Amino acid sequence: DIQLRKGYSGISGEDEALLKEVRPFVEKNMGRLAEGFWSHLMQFEETKQILKEEQKAKRFRNALPQYVLGLFSGDYGPSYVEKRVNAGAVHFRLGLAPRWYLGAVSIFYHLLYDILKEYYSQDREKLGKTMRAVEKMLNFDYQYMAEVYELEHEAALMEALRKLKELNSRLEELSIRDGLTNLYNHRHCIDTTLREFERTKRYNHPLSCIMIDVDHFKSINDTYGHPFGDYVLKELALIMQRHLRMTDLIFRYGGDEF
C-alpha cells in the first residue's frame, strides 16, 4: 500500500535522496521555520481559539519539528506512515479542520522554499527538484491525513448517534415512568391496557387486571404530612414489585391507586 501511494504521488528514489540531503540544513533552521509557521497560525481567530489552551499549544509546537524532520528523513516506510496517521488523529481531536491542514501545507511549503533557496543559492535546478520532491511528499502525507479525518469523523458521528440513541431511550423510559414511585405511569397504563385487550381478543387468551388503592390514604397525609405519604407510596411500590412475576406489569394509575 505504501509503495502504491508513493507511486500515486510520483515519489522516486532520487526524491527521497534529495530530501535526506537537506535535512541537516532544515534542522539548523527549524526555529525560523517553526516561528514563521506559528506566527501565521496565530493570525486567525479560529486557530487562536483552538490552540488557546497552553497544553494544546505546547503539544502542537513540540510536534512540528518531529513532523518536519520526518519529512526529510529519507525513510518513508511503515514507521513514517504511522506517525503521519497519528498526527492526523491529533489534528482532528484538536478541532483543526481539513481546510486548516490544506492552508497550513501551503504556508509550510513556502516557508521551506525560502529556507532551501539559501541552501541552493548557486543551484536553482536542484532547488526546483527538491521543492518538487517536497510537494510530492506533502501529497503523500495528505493521502493518509484525509483518510484519518474521514475515519475519525465517521467514528465521532457513530459515537454521537450512539449517545443520541441512548439519550432517546432514557427519555422514552422517563416519559412512561411515574416520577415518585418509578412505576409505569397513567398514560402508559392506558396505552398498554388497550393493546393487551386487543391482543386478548385476537388470540382468545385470558387477561387479568387488578386495581388497588391505599385505605385511608388522605388521613395518612393529613396526620403525618405529604412527605410521609410519598414514602408510603414508594414503599408500597417496592413491595408490589418484589411480588410480581416477570410477565406482570404494574402502574401507578394516579394518587394512591395502582
Side-chain angles (χ1 to χ4, degrees):
D1 182 66
I2 293 174
Q3 290 303 319
L4 182 62
R5 290 172 188 254
K6 283 183 180 179
Y8 288 153
S9 298
I11 298 168
S12 65
E14 181 186 6
D15 293 322
E16 294 176 357
L18 285 168
L19 293 171
K20 188 174 182 179
E21 178 187 334
V22 295
R23 176 180 167 131
F25 188 74
V26 171
E27 187 171 8
K28 181 180 176 182
N29 287 273
M30 185 64 69
R32 175 181 159 194
L33 178 64
E35 189 55 41
F37 189 71
W38 187 257
S39 297
H40 177 77
L41 285 185
M42 291 301 100
Q43 291 180 48
F44 306 98
E45 194 59 35
E46 181 184 27
T47 43
K48 276 184 184 178
Q49 289 300 314
I50 292 171
L51 299 171
K52 66 181 179 181
E53 292 180 24
E54 186 176 344
Q55 275 191 324
K56 281 186 179 180
K58 185 178 180 181
R59 185 180 178 187
F60 186 80
R61 294 192 78 152
N62 289 341
L64 182 61
Q66 297 173 28
Y67 175 84
V68 175
L69 293 178
L71 191 68
F72 292 91
S73 66
D75 181 6
Y76 309 109
S79 177
Y80 176 89
V81 169
E82 183 181 357
K83 290 173 183 175
R84 274 7 188 197
V85 167
N86 289 338
V90 169
H91 291 163
F92 180 87
R93 288 163 194 162
L94 285 174
L96 296 167
R99 64 177 179 274
W100 169 85
Y101 181 79
L102 290 171
V105 163
S106 177
I107 295 302
F108 178 69
Y109 180 87
H110 287 96
L111 288 169
L112 273 175
Y113 176 78
D114 289 339
I115 290 170
L116 293 178
K117 189 167 58 174
E118 297 172 12
Y119 184 78
Y120 288 119
S121 58
Q122 303 301 317
D123 194 341
R124 295 294 175 178
E125 183 181 350
K126 203 166 185 181
L127 171 63
K129 287 183 178 180
T130 303
M131 291 311 301
R132 282 193 291 276
V134 169
E135 186 178 352
K136 292 174 186 179
M137 282 308 305
L138 291 175
N139 178 277
F140 178 72
D141 283 1
Y142 185 69
Q143 291 180 44
Y144 288 101
M145 289 285 193
E147 285 187 11
V148 170
Y149 269 91
E150 183 179 346
L151 291 172
E152 290 283 345
H153 178 73
E154 184 178 334
L157 181 60
M158 292 302 293
E159 177 63 13
L161 289 173
R162 185 192 67 77
K163 288 182 178 178
L164 182 60
K165 186 176 180 180
E166 189 179 279
L167 178 60
N168 285 336
S169 295
R170 288 205 300 268
L171 290 173
E172 184 178 351
E173 183 67 15
L174 287 171
S175 74
I176 60 175
R177 291 285 179 179
D178 172 58
L180 178 65
T181 63
N182 201 40
L183 299 177
Y184 290 120
N185 60 23
H186 179 91
R187 182 173 67 84
H188 193 53
C189 175
I190 301 301
D191 292 343
T192 304
T193 302
L194 291 173
R195 186 171 61 250
E196 289 302 316
F197 272 128
E198 288 300 318
R199 195 196 311 274
T200 296
K201 287 194 299 183
R202 180 175 181 182
Y203 297 107
N204 197 27
H205 287 168
L207 174 67
S208 298
C209 181
I210 301 173
M211 193 162 189
I212 67 170
D213 68 354
V214 181
D215 289 343
H216 312 298
F217 184 68
K218 184 177 184 304
S219 65
I220 294 174
N221 278 334
D222 292 344
T223 304
Y224 300 104
H226 287 279
F228 186 76
D230 289 346
Y231 170 77
V232 169
L233 294 175
K234 287 190 284 187
E235 286 299 307
L236 179 59
L238 291 172
I239 291 169
M240 288 189 289
Q241 285 176 310
R242 283 200 293 268
H243 290 83
L244 284 180
R245 297 170 301 182
M246 289 293 293
T247 53
D248 293 334
L249 295 172
I250 182 168
F251 308 87
R252 184 184 180 196
Y253 191 77
D256 63 330
E257 298 170 329
F258 299 89

